[in-house]
Amino acid sequence: AVAGECPEGGVGVEVADHHAGMDWVPSRVADMVAAHRPKAVLIDGRSAAGALIRPLAALGVMVTEVNTDAMTRGAGEFLADVHAGLVHHRSRPVLDDAVESAGRRQVGNAWTWERRDRVASPLVAVTLARWGHLEIEAPPVESVYERRGAVVL
């Protein structure tokens, strides 16, 4: 899933790709990172997606692992922003189905999306993409002149 600023305000989220299984994910993510240079690639290491961290690293993709706190804050903020009209997305059956069947599970005094049913994975993904977009700062852009040690007068 991906997230970014919307011209009308708020954050746009989208399921960039969705297929059965996870074999296809590392190469697809590596291609997307090369093409779009995102701020971060986020994975909840305690989820099934945690199995993708090593294959992604082998392809040169730096992964930021998130924890349960990020997931609970992300879910709560996502839902609040949906109700406030600050989350935008194109209708896509895979995400629409996930939203329709969404359940919650308690985590201490907070909650996050119930994801034992794989139908929820697109909702979990856009929630995490939105959270990462808002919480993670983009790395500074490195000048080619600085990297090569050139001085321009």
Side-chain angles (χ1 to χ4, degrees), residues 26-40:
S27 62
R28 176 69 170 120
V29 170
D31 290 346
M32 290 176 68
V33 167
H36 303 290
R37 299 185 336 159
K39 289 197 251 186

Side-chain angles (χ1 to χ4, degrees), residues 58-111:
L59 293 173
V61 176
M62 184 185 299
V63 172
T64 301
E65 263 189 85
V66 298
N67 58 26
T68 303
D69 290 342
M71 295 303 297
T72 57
R73 282 190 303 137
E77 292 171 2
F78 183 88
L79 187 59
D81 280 0
V82 165
H83 289 300
L86 298 173
V87 174
H88 309 283
H89 71 91
R90 295 181 183 136
S91 182
R92 187 162 176 205
V94 68
L95 182 55
D96 296 343
D97 292 346
V99 170
E100 282 290 318
S101 66
R104 296 183 192 184
R105 69 179 172 89
Q106 283 300 125
V107 179
N109 291 326
W111 64 272

